[in-house]
């Protein structure tokens, strides 16, 4: 199994939203083989709790605006690790320390990386 075109579209929306709020170290993993109910995990790092919350809120808002249904959200109150489940796409927004501690990249290291296309930023050098 591989990620569906719909899940890749959701990934692009979520990644763009995360980037717009200062999300760092974005990584998408195709977890469709070991987890048949999920296609992609998106991992994002925020600099602090406030940034983690802003990134998670923006991702959720943009995916809802695009017509996708959120199944659940966890961790928003503490904003150290916010998990947002949109079915085919599960987003993990981490505080820097939690991302290192839990190391989901190591846990899912056998899963292929899904490329993320972020829009060019105004004023960015070539």
């Amino acid at each position: 199994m591989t990620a569906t075109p719909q899940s890749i579209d959701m990934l692009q929306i979520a990644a763009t939203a995360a980037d717009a709020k200062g999300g760092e170290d974005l990584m998408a993993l195709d977890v469709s083989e070991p987890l048949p109910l999920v296609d992609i995990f998106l991992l994002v790092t925020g600099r602090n709790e406030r940034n983690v919350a802003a990134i998670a809120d923006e991702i959720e808002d943009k995916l809802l605006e695009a017509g996708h249904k959120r199944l659940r959200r966890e961790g928003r109150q503490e904003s150290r690790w916010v998990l947002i489940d949109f079915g085919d796409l599960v987003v993990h927004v981490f505080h820097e320390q939690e991302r290192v501690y839990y190391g989901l990249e190591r846990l899912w290291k056998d899963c292929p990386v899904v490329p993320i296309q972020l829009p060019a930023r105004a004023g960015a050098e070539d």
Side-chain angles (χ1 to χ4, degrees), residues 7-123:
S7 61
I8 292 171
D9 180 54
M10 292 170 71
L11 168 64
Q12 294 307 140
I13 293 167
T16 300
D19 184 59
K21 290 296 180 179
E24 299 173 349
D25 300 325
L26 277 68
M27 174 182 266
L29 300 170
D30 183 337
V31 295
S32 60
E33 187 67 33
L35 297 175
L37 299 177
V38 178
D39 282 351
I40 298 174
F41 277 177
L42 173 61
L43 311 178
V44 183
T45 301
R47 294 177 303 279
N48 53 50
E49 289 89 348
R50 193 174 190 175
N51 187 225
V52 168
I55 293 165
D57 290 348
E58 184 74 2
I59 290 170
E60 188 171 351
D61 290 348
K62 294 303 181 188
L63 284 168
L64 290 171
E65 284 174 18
H68 300 288
K69 184 179 181 206
R70 186 191 82 209
L71 302 178
R72 70 176 191 200
R73 177 182 63 193
E74 297 179 13
R76 175 61 176 81
Q77 191 168 9
E78 299 83 18
S79 294
R80 300 288 295 179
W81 176 2
V82 179
L83 180 144
I84 313 168
D85 183 353
F86 275 88
D88 292 339
L89 174 70
V90 175
V91 180
H92 302 267
V93 185
F94 292 99
H95 185 282
E96 293 170 316
Q97 294 167 340
E98 271 66 11
R99 178 129 181 210
V100 171
Y101 181 79
Y102 289 103
L104 291 189
E105 294 93 336
R106 289 188 313 272
L107 183 63
W108 299 100
K109 69 179 184 263
D110 294 335
C111 295
V113 173
V114 180
I116 299 172
Q117 302 295 322
L118 294 174
R121 291 181 181 220

